[in-house]
Each structure stands twice: as structure tokens, then as C-alpha cells.
Amino acid sequence: MSTWHKVCRLEEIPLRGSRVVPHDEVSIAVFRTADDEVFALRDACPHKAGPLSQGIVHGHRVTCPLHGWNIELSSGEACAPDEGSTVTYPARVENGVVLLAL
Amino acid sequence: MQKQKLVVVGNGMAGIRTVEELLKLAPDLYDVTVFGAEPHPNYNRILLSPVLAGEMTLADIVLNDLDWYKDNGITLHTSKKVVKVDRIARKVIAEDSTGATMEAGYDRLLLATGSVPFMLPVPGNDLPGVIAYRDIADTEVMIATALTHKHAVVIGGGLLGLEAANGLKLRGMDVTVVHIGEWIMERQLDKPSADMLQASLESKGLKFLLGKQTEMLTANAEGRVCSIRFKDGAEIPADLVVMAAGIRPNSALAEASGLHCQRGVVVSDTLQTFDPRIYAVGECAAHRGIAYGLVAPLFEQAKVCANHLAQMGISRYQGSVTSTKLKVTGVDVFSAGNFTGGDGTEDIILHDKNGGIYKRLVIENDRLVGAVLYGDTGDGGWYFQLLKEGRDVGSIRDHLMFGDAFTNNHVGDVGHAGNSKAAAMADEAEVCGCNGVCKGTIVKAIREQGLFTLDDVRKHTKASSSCGSCTGLVEQILASTVGGAYQATDRTTKPMCGCTALTHGEVRAEIRGQKLLSLDDVFATLAWHTPDGCATCRPALNYYLISTWPHEAKDDPQSRFINERAHANIQKDGTYSVVPRMWGGLTTPDELRRIANVAEKYHIPTVKVTGGQRIDLLGVKKEDLPAVWKDLDMPSGHAYGKSIRTVKTCVGTEHCRFGTQQSMSMGVALEKMLFGMWSPHKVKLAVSGCPRNCSEAGIKDVGVIGVDSGWELYVAGNGGIKTEVAEFLCKVTTREEVLEYSAAFLQIYREEGWYLERTVHYVQRVGLDYVKQRVVTDADNRKALHQRLLYALQGVVDPWRERLPGEGLPQLAAEFTPLPVPVETI
Ligand SMILES: Cc1cc2nc3c(=O)[nH]c(=O)nc-3n(C[C@H](O)[C@H](O)[C@H](O)COP(=O)(O)OP(=O)(O)OC[C@H]3O[C@@H](n4cnc5c(N)ncnc54)[C@H](O)[C@@H]3O)c2cc1C
Ligand code: HEM
Ligand code: SF4
Ligand code: FES
């Protein structure tokens, strides 16, 4: 059973940006989109494990900094023509606090 | 608001392309209904030839499958022919094969009915076994007939006829091409090239009868065609007759509804017919008296028409220049423009009969107006570009015949094993060295996915999407696979990215003209299709904003690529590399000691001397970056940015026995002047103390070479993917002039260059003469440019210093600090 964990305040994540949360072996990237939604993904691109947290966030997508794959934040799926997916974690904002289900 | 109703008559390439363009601009404006006489969804008509030749199947050539119509909410009526347009009641009436009718009302009507093949008016032209070559049904008849019958006659030795003949031959028939003209493809080829083509097709087993006029087609006992007789009395057997003697715009429906037609439905530059609610595109439309029969112009029309249907009303169709390519595997023919010449034109001809190569270039007033290529068509795209742009070729005339590679000195291109001719490459040969894509993969994707542009190919195969050195090869492959449907890409007219219809140039102009100061301004004012852009346009827009309105526009770190946000270079394992600045490549024992200490303290695995005379510390963890910078106590080397990178220097008169000028201190002065300069792409300089040029200034964006009497300035060189030798800009005398001229050149590039355009491409685009005029001749302008650069760089701070642990700006620290381990909520 996963439980909700407190991550940070919403404004600690830059708009159209992300922060890295330490977790087991591979950290989690927590993204904040222009419409103030948050998403959490394993910080490893399905292509060659590039750190997605370092990518450019646009719409509900992030572009990997290494070779430019676009990853759908809600599903972790790579956009066509690329194929692959990365693990996502449930995330939400409550009273200005970002929560992550682990 | 209730949606308006758009009815499209004709489910073919032009009509559906218009709908696609419309959906991109205004997806919710219309309820779209499409009527198609054929029983199929929209397919790629030009690929019927490979289907006939057995190289592809019908399933491969569908462009929009039925799901596409469904997903986009389009009502499709296949096998329904529109028989009447009632313009008063604004509705169309359609009929299926049983005669049952149906109606559909419209607010806007789009006619895209294509062409009808011209059937020679000779007795017997309606016999079973006599067909045209236009659609899937015709192709299926040909394939079936080839299994049961022997003799095929193709009437018409044009593009279509030859492709039909070639396909039938490959399907095992005995094929004769009958042509009324003196030589084949007389509308595309001159006699010498046509003769070579004919010889090559004859060697594949095709037979030709030229200068023949058909008198009649005769039937056998079962009433099927069995022979063809000519006016001169000759007669040959024919179990299948394919009429490929031309096409006529299919304007019958429009005429019957009272629309003005003259060799096609007459349309204006907005693709409107004489009834402003009715538009026409494609082969059925006559624009300025021309009905086009190739795909490329139809696609241009589709774009303009969609713009007006979307009620944006900002574009005009002004006609197209077309080029032709025959899609017969193993035969390379290209023709464009006025290839026969005439008064006032001159020819440049290369004719190598045994080698099977013929090239003819037609020139009028120093412009290329026509070209025919046979045997080696690799440069077709380049000639076509020159022709369309109407470029003055006076200065390259001597080399023109030898092609792009020779004229523009692409000898330095790397990354595709030196290949420059796609046709000669095997399917397994690697085209794109970055992404490991071979020729066969590209050809397959073009055919199966229905790709027409370079961008499509990049998206689907990744070929040419990284370093771009193989772009020319990919374009050649496109041209030979889709024939005349290929539209050369051209950044001048291409939208920036999928988020907008505007080009780089237009966006820059709007940002300046409307004084846009933030990304949100741009998205709102210029009606971006996406809420906040994409990874392609955002960095470009951010650069345009800050370079156009320095000190006013706000820099947005989230729109910068990670390297410019972290001020270090990301590596493949997610670590970073750090290159401290060493002005002019000069350092001190003290700096070296600090670098050594840092490398040990932070366990930096690799220390390397870079190509730009700096020291690179590779493998630094992101969290350590600020501390590393602090311990280094040196400014940022900007080795990570679209910015000034380095000024390399040789030792010069300071030590060298050959030196004529003080190159080291000149380099330091240049680098200090340019510190912190952002630019469309990276900028590298070099200064040498004499023409021995030990700093390799000849391949730099700005190269400065000391001579006894002063300094020579070279610009727009590049040592990367394409090695480009810098061009001589001018000679100056003093060090102050070196600074002023270099600054002016870089500033004009900063103001006019497009994002990710290196100086070499900028100068190729605008021309060196223009740059010389603005930077060298026009002294006032030069001084103004210089001043604007100095103004933009006023108060520049070292980005590393702003981010030092404890000392830097707190809001910038977050980038480098991971969040704490999350705590469970109760
Ligand atoms: C074999 C072949 C090879 C070709 N090769 C090339 C090439 O290499 N390069 C190139 O650029 N071009 C090529 N072309 C030409 C290219 O295919 C045409 O220019 C293009 O398809 C025209 O598009 P369109 O939409 O105007 O007409 P079409 O694609 O013909 O579409 C018109 C559609 O409208 C339907 N229709 C007509 N009247 C009605 C009605 N009243 N009601 C309902 N539906 C109706 C027709 O059935 C047809 O499906 C080739 C053509 C053929 C036949
Ligand atoms: C009483 C005066 C006018 C009338 C009744 C009129 C009517 C129309 C109509 C019915 C259309 C078709 C609109 C549509 O497709 O929905 C049209 C289009 C157009 N009109 Fe007018 N018009 C008038 C004056 C003008 C003037 C003065 C100009 C230019 C100076 C003009 C320029 C245009 C243009 C460029 C289009 C094409 C727009 C497009 O397709 O996007 N019109 N007009
Ligand atoms: S370029 Fe000339 S001055 Fe500079 S090091 Fe070489 S030889 Fe000496
Ligand atoms: S690792 Fe993400 S695109 Fe290659």
C-alpha cells in the first residue's frame, strides 16, 4: 500500500520546472506545469536513462535533455515516434503542499 | 455557437490535405463532411506506380485511414459521387452506384474533384480492356490483366505513360509505348535526354513507337480489344490499352452549377471560386490560368485555402514553379522550369553518352531558368532551389554545372562516410551516422507513412534530426521516392515549429515591431497553438526576446536548455562538466593549482584539455557545481551555451619569432569585450599573430590574423559538421578597429540570425555582400551595431558568481539542491 508523503511547498518547484526528490536508487522528478499541476516520474528517460528532471517542461510533457525524447508527464509514456515508458507516481497539491504517493 | 458546415467534394490528395491543414488551424470551426466517388479512404495516388511495379501494396499507400476520419469527427461518404450543387439552397446532392441520392447542406464548399483522364476520341475507345491510369481501380485492372494477357499498349509517352509501361513490363507483359511526339516526355525533356531515357527503357525491354497517330482500336470475337491500328496503316496486337495521353481538370460539376470555369474551376489567390462560399483546390482548379498536375503545388494551395477557411485570411497563393522526377526505379531523370531555352537564353550542357549522363542548364540574365538532368540527378534539388529563388548565379556560373558539392565546397562534410549521391547507395548503407539510420529504412518510412517533407522524415525515422550533415542525402532520397511531390524545405518559409505558422523571421519581426517582452506576450499576441510552446520554440523565443530587448525583456531560465540553466554541460550519465574561463587561453600557475585541488577534492574523474584551449573537468555531480565554482574562483567559461565560447590565440609577437602582431593580448581584449554574450548559436573566435595562423582562425566565426600592416578579419567559418572556411571580411589597422568590426559583425548576427543558425549559415542566407555593406562600408551602422552590443553586455555578471554557495542569489540555489527525503503524512 502506498501512502502520501510530503515533498515541499508548491512554489519551491519553479513554474514549468521540476525538483529532484531522493528515492531508493533512482530519484524521483517532481514537475510543476504552467497550469500548476504536479506530476512525479522516475528521473530516468526510457531511452538511455537521461535525467528527465533536467528537461524543458511544456504543456503536460517534458523533453529529455539528452536526445530530445518527449515524455508524457501523466502516463510516463514516450510520444511517437519513440517508444517506451518510465514509472510514474501519484502526485497532488493540497493546501499548497506537494504530496507524493510512495 | 453552432459549428459551420464544410462540405468537401473529392476525397483525394488536395481535398484531404486542405482538411488536415484546416484542423491544425481551427479544429473546432466546422462540421466536415467529405464525399468521395472512390470506395477508398484518401490514398497516395502518386504511389500507384510502385504498386503497379510490385514494389508496394495497396495497403501501404493509404494516407488517412478510416480511423483518422472518425477521430477527427469527419463524416465520410465513400462511393458517393456528388452530382449537383444547389447554390441557392446551399446544399449538394450525391448519388451512389445504385442511383440512391442523399443531400448535405453547407456553409462552405470545397471542390477537390481532381482530373479526368483524356480518352483519345477514336473508335473503340470504350471497349473492354481499354482503361486510363488514374486510380486504384485502374491499377487493379492492370495487375489482373497482366496475369491473363500478353500484349499491352500504352498510349502516351509522358510521365504517367512511362510509369504505367514500366510497371506492366515488370508484371510480365509485352509492352509498347505509342507516342505522337518526336520524342518521349517532350514536356519535361529535350531530345538528347529523352533519347537516352528511351534507350535505357528499351534495354529494360520496353518497345517504343514514336510519331504514331492512333486511328482505331479493334475488338476480337468476345468484344474485347485485340489490336490498335495507326493512321499509317500499321497495326499491332493489344490485349490491354492504357490511355495516358493527358488529363483534363474535372470541372463538370462546377460548370453545371454555374461557376466560372476555363480549363478548370477558376479560382483567385485565396482559392475562392466566383461564388465566395465555394473554394476549389487541386487539379480541378485553374489559378491564373494554370491547372497543376503535380502534388507539390496542390499542397501549397491546400495551405492557403485552409488559412482562409479558418477565417484567418492572411495568406495568398501566387502560383508554383514545379519540377518533375520520373519514378522508375533505376532511372534518374529530373527536369524543371524552361528547359528548352529560347531567345535570350544560354545553355550549359554536359553530355556523356557512354557514361549515361546528360545535364543541361538554361540561363537567362544570370539566373537559372531551367534544368534537365539525366543519369545523375543528385543536384536536382539544388538547381530547383536556385531556380525558384531566382538567385543571381553570375558569380558561380563557372562551377554551376558541377553541382552543389563542388560549388559550395561541401568537401568537409562528415558523418555519412563521404557519400554524396543517394541513388548510388545500397539499401543497407548508413545515411544518418548519428542515429544509425540506413537508406532502406528511410525509403520504407516515406512510402509506408506517406511522408512528403524533410521534417516528416526526421520525425518518423530520426534521420537527419541530430547533427544534420546528412540532410542533403535525405532530401535526395525523398525526391527520388515521391517524385515531384517533394517540397524542398527551406527555413525562410518554414514555420518555427508545430506551435505556430510563423517563420523565425516573422517571429523576430513581431517581437521587435510589437515590442513583446515576455514569452506569455508572444504566446498571446502571436496566437501560439500550444499553451506554452515546446522544447523547440521556447529556447528560440527566449533568445529573441533577450537579444531584441536587452535589459527589458525577462530571461526565462525554464525556457533554456539545461546546460544554460545549470551553467555546465550535461553528460550522458547526468553528471556535468565544468570549463572555467581562461582569457585568450592564458592561465597561471595559481589557477592551475586551484584546478588540480578541485579535481582531487571533488573526485572529478576526468580532466581534459579542450579544442578551444581550455581545461575541462568532467563528471561533476550537479549538487557539487556551486562549491566547485567557488573553489575554482574563476569565471564561467560558457562552454555550455549558445553564447561566446572561446577566443583561441597563438603566442604572437609576445614570444614567437615569426609574429607580426600581439595576438594573445588582442585575443584577451576580444574575449573580455564579449564576455556573457548570448547568441543564436555558439560563437568561437581565434587570433593569430601572423599568416602561419597557428590558432586556426580560418574556421572560426570570427578569425583575426595579424599581418605586418594590421589585421585581417575573416568571418563565418566553422570547424564542425561541415568544415567551412571563413570568408575574408576586410582588413583593419588598429586594435580598436578589430574590436569594433568584430563586435559589429557579431551584433548583426545576433540581431538577424535565427536561433541555432551558425554564422556561416546566416551569412550564406543573407549574402556576404550584404554583411560587408552593413558592417564595413556603412561606418555609421557599424558604430551603432558596436554600441548596441556594448549596451546589451553592460553590467553582465558572471553566472557562476551569482550561484556560489552562501553568497549567490538564494532563488538560484534551488536548481542545484535536491529536495529532502519526503516524509510520510499522517
Ligand atoms: C499513377 C500516377 C502517378 C503520379 N505520380 C505523381 C508524382 O510522381 N508526382 C506528383 O507530384 N504527382 C503525381 N501524380 C499526380 C497526383 O497524383 C495528382 O496531382 C494529385 O493526386 C491530385 O490531387 P487532387 O486531390 O486534385 O485529385 P485526386 O487525388 O484525383 O482526388 C480527386 C478525388 O475526387 C473524386 N471525385 C471527383 N469528382 C467527384 C464528385 N463529383 N463527387 C465525389 N468525388 C469526386 C475522385 O474520385 C478522386 O478520388 C500522379 C498521378 C497518377 C495517377
Ligand atoms: C460592400 C462591400 C463588400 C462586400 C459586400 C463584400 C463581400 C465579401 C464576401 C461575401 C466575401 C466572402 C467572404 C467569405 O468567404 O465568407 C468577401 C471576401 C473578401 N473581401 Fe469583401 N466585400 C466588400 C468589400 C470589400 C473590400 C472593400 C475589400 C478590400 C479592400 C474586400 C476584400 C475582401 C477579401 C480580401 C476577401 C477574401 C477574404 C478571405 O477569403 O479570407 N472586400 N467579401
Ligand atoms: S601564427 Fe604566426 S605569430 Fe602566431 S604562433 Fe604561429 S607563427 Fe607565431
Ligand atoms: S536519454 Fe532521454 S532522450 Fe535519450
Side-chain angles (χ1 to χ4, degrees):
Chain A
M1 254 307 284
S2 61
T3 50
W4 290 101
H5 286 63
K6 214 156 106 180
V7 176
C8 62
R9 300 198 54 76
L10 180 62
E11 60 275 12
E12 290 178 69
I13 309 177
L15 203 61
R16 299 185 189 116
S18 80
R19 294 291 296 272
V20 179
V21 177
H23 179 69
D24 295 347
E25 307 260 280
V26 185
S27 324
I28 298 175
V30 184
F31 296 90
R32 175 181 172 196
T33 55
D35 53 5
D36 269 347
E37 288 208 45
V38 293
F39 298 92
L41 269 68
R42 191 183 149 100
D43 196 8
C45 175
H47 179 217
K48 293 192 174 168
L52 296 174
S53 56
Q54 313 295 301
I56 291 182
V57 180
H58 48 97
H60 284 184
R61 287 179 179 173
V62 62
T63 301
C64 177
L66 293 199
H67 316 93
W69 281 28
N70 284 304
I71 310 294
E72 206 69 67
L73 292 175
S74 57
S75 63
E77 298 282 337
C79 302
D82 300 314
E83 286 167 17
S85 73
T86 193
V87 180
T88 61
Y89 302 86
R92 65 189 164 93
V93 185
E94 199 175 278
N95 299 325
V97 174
V98 179
L99 299 173
L100 184 59
L102 292 173
Chain B
M1 200 182 80
Q2 221 202 323
K3 285 196 190 178
Q4 300 192 58
K5 293 192 290 284
L6 172 67
V7 170
V8 181
V9 184
N11 185 26
M13 297 184 76
I16 298 307
R17 176 54 80 103
T18 310
V19 173
E20 284 179 331
E21 295 281 354
L22 174 63
L23 291 174
K24 276 195 241 160
L25 298 174
D28 302 317
L29 192 58
Y30 292 101
D31 276 325
V32 182
T33 305
V34 178
F35 287 93
E38 293 183 68
H40 311 282
N42 179 36
Y43 60 89
N44 195 340
R45 198 172 300 282
I46 69 176
L47 292 181
L48 287 175
S49 297
V51 169
L52 181 63
E55 293 166 3
M56 295 180 77
T57 67
L58 284 176
D60 295 336
I61 67 170
V62 169
L63 284 173
N64 305 79
D65 58 16
L66 293 173
D67 285 340
W68 178 84
Y69 295 86
K70 201 155 51 177
D71 295 346
N72 287 293
I74 296 167
T75 315
L76 171 66
H77 299 290
T78 52
S79 302
K80 290 225 168 47
K81 185 168 177 174
V82 172
V83 290
K84 186 170 164 31
V85 178
D86 181 343
R87 287 167 52 207
I88 315 263
R90 294 215 297 271
K91 62 181 185 186
V92 299
I93 296 150
E95 211 175 81
D96 65 15
S97 55
T98 67
T101 61
M102 65 170 297
E103 295 185 1
Y106 66 81
D107 297 298
R108 290 281 185 281
L109 181 65
L110 176 61
L111 299 177
T113 49
S115 309
V116 283
F118 175 65
M119 303 299 274
L120 285 188
V122 293
N125 72 0
D126 53 353
L127 289 172
V130 181
I131 58 167
Y133 184 25
R134 180 71 200 166
D135 54 23
I136 288 187
D138 298 331
T139 312
E140 283 174 336
V141 170
M142 290 197 246
I143 294 172
T145 311
L147 293 174
T148 54
H149 292 77
K150 178 108 189 89
H151 298 288
V153 171
V154 175
I155 301 182
L159 269 178
L160 203 60
L162 295 180
E163 292 190 7
N166 178 61
L168 290 169
K169 176 75 209 163
L170 289 171
R171 296 240 171 218
M173 293 190 87
D174 177 50
V175 187
T176 307
V177 177
V178 173
H179 191 57
I180 191 164
E182 242 180 282
W183 64 83
I184 56 176
M185 281 180 67
E186 80 276 9
R187 287 174 53 202
Q188 288 88 17
L189 300 181
D190 57 1
K191 187 156 190 322
S193 52
D195 286 347
M196 292 171 89
L197 172 61
Q198 183 177 334
S200 134
L201 293 172
E202 277 167 351
S203 74
K204 288 174 178 266
L206 293 181
K207 290 184 239 166
F208 288 88
L209 288 175
L210 300 185
K212 285 276 186 202
Q213 285 199 39
T214 306
E215 188 172 54
M216 67 177 297
L217 305 171
T218 48
N220 61 13
E222 291 107 67
R224 183 188 172 90
V225 67
C226 68
S227 75
I228 172 167
R229 207 166 68 214
F230 303 107
K231 290 217 167 118
D232 60 8
E235 183 164 347
I236 57 168
D239 309 317
L240 174 72
V241 174
V242 180
M243 297 261 193
I247 53 174
R248 301 281 176 272
N250 183 3
S251 55
L253 179 67
E255 266 168 76
S257 8
L259 290 173
H260 177 49
C261 295
Q262 194 169 19
R263 269 171 272 123
V265 190
V266 175
V267 293
S268 64
D269 285 3
T270 57
L271 282 316
Q272 271 168 314
T273 65
F274 275 50
D275 178 340
R277 286 183 180 272
I278 305 184
Y279 294 73
V281 291
E283 288 187 345
C284 65
H287 172 262
R288 303 192 185 172
I290 302 177
Y292 294 93
L294 290 169
V295 172
L298 312 188
F299 285 176
E300 289 172 33
Q301 293 177 351
K303 214 174 178 130
V304 175
C305 183
N307 186 291
H308 289 278
L309 284 171
Q311 300 177 352
M312 299 174 85
I314 49 165
S315 75
R316 277 173 70 200
Y317 177 67
Q318 314 207 43
S320 306
V321 185
T322 57
S323 69
T324 323
K325 215 161 172 299
L326 184 67
K327 303 190 302 303
V328 171
T329 305
V331 177
D332 272 328
V333 188
F334 172 91
S335 108
N338 165 13
F339 57 87
T340 44
D343 280 351
T345 66
E346 321 159 65
D347 285 339
I348 305 180
I349 295 175
L350 181 151
H351 193 168
D352 174 0
K353 212 163 181 178
N354 289 337
I357 291 178
Y358 174 83
K359 301 182 182 188
R360 172 172 182 177
L361 304 175
V362 183
I363 295 182
E364 186 172 4
N365 295 330
D366 276 344
R367 317 225 170 237
L368 187 66
V369 295
V372 188
L373 309 177
Y374 181 86
D376 170 10
T377 55
D379 281 308
W382 184 61
Y383 290 131
F384 189 49
Q385 195 76 23
L386 291 176
L387 194 147
K388 268 206 312 197
E389 289 172 1
R391 278 244 296 275
D392 186 335
V393 294
S395 59
I396 53 171
R397 201 187 144 111
D398 297 356
H399 303 148
L400 202 55
M401 179 53 86
F402 306 112
D404 183 22
F406 186 80
T407 308
N408 290 324
N409 221 337
H410 292 274
V411 283
D413 292 15
V414 293
H416 40 70
N419 278 305
S420 61
K421 299 272 179 277
M425 293 173 74
D427 273 358
E428 312 75 52
E430 186 173 79
V431 172
C432 172
C434 294
N435 297 303
V437 190
C438 58
K439 180 179 163 191
T441 313
I442 300 176
V443 171
K444 188 156 172 270
I446 294 172
R447 292 180 158 182
E448 292 180 3
Q449 322 273 339
L451 313 180
F452 292 105
T453 65
L454 187 60
D455 263 6
D456 290 345
V457 175
R458 287 184 174 147
K459 234 190 267 157
H460 283 86
T461 68
K462 300 249 148 183
S464 153
S465 65
S466 298
C467 81
S469 76
C470 61
T471 302
L473 274 182
V474 175
E475 288 185 311
Q476 288 176 34
I477 296 174
L478 254 169
S480 58
T481 313
V482 303
Y486 168 60
Q487 290 169 288
T489 40
D490 145 19
R491 271 190 97 195
T492 341
T493 55
K494 207 176 70 145
M496 233 167 130
C497 66
C499 304
T500 177
L502 300 174
T503 62
H504 280 267
E506 287 164 345
V507 171
R508 281 215 89 147
E510 294 295 335
I511 288 176
R512 187 179 308 276
Q514 307 204 36
K515 191 156 189 187
L516 306 179
L517 292 176
S518 73
L519 287 159
D520 288 329
D521 277 359
V522 174
F523 297 147
T525 318
L526 305 182
W528 234 242
H529 305 336
T530 46
D532 51 2
C534 69
T536 303
C537 60
R538 282 244 302 278
L541 292 175
N542 189 58
Y543 169 71
Y544 292 154
L545 288 164
I546 59 172
S547 59
T548 311
W549 302 110
H551 307 298
E552 291 185 81
K554 201 167 138 29
D555 187 12
D556 174 25
Q558 298 312 131
S559 295
R560 284 178 178 268
F561 184 63
I562 181 61
N563 290 355
E564 294 183 3
R565 221 180 317 140
H567 292 276
N569 260 327
I570 195 164
Q571 304 297 316
K572 67 177 197 180
D573 59 356
T575 64
Y576 288 80
S577 85
V578 170
V579 182
R581 191 161 292 279
M582 293 172 174
W583 307 101
L586 290 149
T587 184
T588 62
D590 201 33
E591 283 180 348
L592 291 172
R593 226 171 266 124
R594 291 203 298 274
I595 291 172
N597 290 340
V598 163
E600 280 180 355
K601 177 168 169 193
Y602 295 92
H603 307 287
I604 289 168
T606 307
V607 182
K608 182 183 183 313
V609 175
T610 71
Q613 301 183 337
R614 306 298 140 100
I615 291 176
D616 195 352
L617 303 164
L618 294 123
V620 183
K621 290 199 261 330
K622 193 176 185 193
E623 302 92 275
D624 288 341
L625 285 172
V628 164
W629 297 334
K630 186 177 167 104
D631 288 358
L632 283 174
D633 194 20
M634 291 164 76
S636 163
H638 286 93
Y640 47 78
K642 309 295 174 228
S643 61
I644 171 74
R645 291 275 176 100
T646 55
V647 182
K648 279 172 81 170
T649 62
C650 75
V651 291
T653 40
E654 285 103 326
H655 295 278
C656 177
R657 66 200 161 102
F658 299 116
T660 59
Q661 294 287 354
Q662 297 195 344
S663 48
M664 288 193 292
S665 61
M666 185 72 249
V668 172
L670 276 166
E671 193 161 341
K672 292 214 155 147
M673 172 177 79
L674 299 173
F675 180 72
M677 177 187 84
W678 299 109
S679 36
H681 209 308
K682 56 189 176 184
V683 166
K684 301 176 178 182
L685 286 75
V687 186
S688 283
C690 86
R692 285 171 189 75
N693 193 9
C694 295
S695 69
E696 295 159 350
I699 49 167
K700 292 287 174 269
D701 296 285
V702 176
V704 181
I705 296 178
V707 289
D708 200 44
S709 51
W711 304 87
E712 289 178 352
L713 300 182
Y714 293 81
V715 295
N718 187 341
I721 297 162
K722 286 179 189 294
T723 311
E724 304 270 5
V725 175
E727 305 215 48
F728 177 69
L729 181 75
C730 62
K731 196 181 144 197
V732 297
T733 333
T734 66
R735 296 167 67 91
E736 288 65 39
E737 284 172 324
V738 171
L739 292 173
E740 180 178 307
Y741 282 68
S742 307
F745 171 72
L746 289 172
Q747 180 64 9
I748 197 171
Y749 162 61
R750 293 181 74 238
E751 291 177 2
E752 299 179 2
W754 292 333
Y755 195 64
L756 297 188
E757 189 175 44
R758 291 289 302 261
T759 51
V760 52
H761 304 120
Y762 164 69
V763 171
Q764 278 170 3
R765 174 164 62 81
V766 301
L768 184 63
D769 288 344
Y770 165 82
V771 172
K772 280 186 176 162
Q773 200 279 324
R774 306 290 289 159
V775 172
V776 182
T777 321
D778 185 343
D780 290 342
N781 192 54
R782 177 177 63 247
K783 290 192 166 35
L785 282 166
H786 180 201
Q787 286 312 313
R788 284 206 292 281
L789 180 64
L790 296 183
Y791 170 72
L793 294 175
Q794 230 169 51
V796 159
V797 270
D798 172 16
W800 288 359
R801 187 146 291 281
E802 286 182 307
R803 290 166 175 79
L804 295 187
E807 299 169 30
L809 305 173
Q811 70 270 27
L812 296 176
E815 178 76 46
F816 305 95
T817 337
L819 290 164
V821 177
V823 282
E824 208 165 329
T825 53
I826 327 115

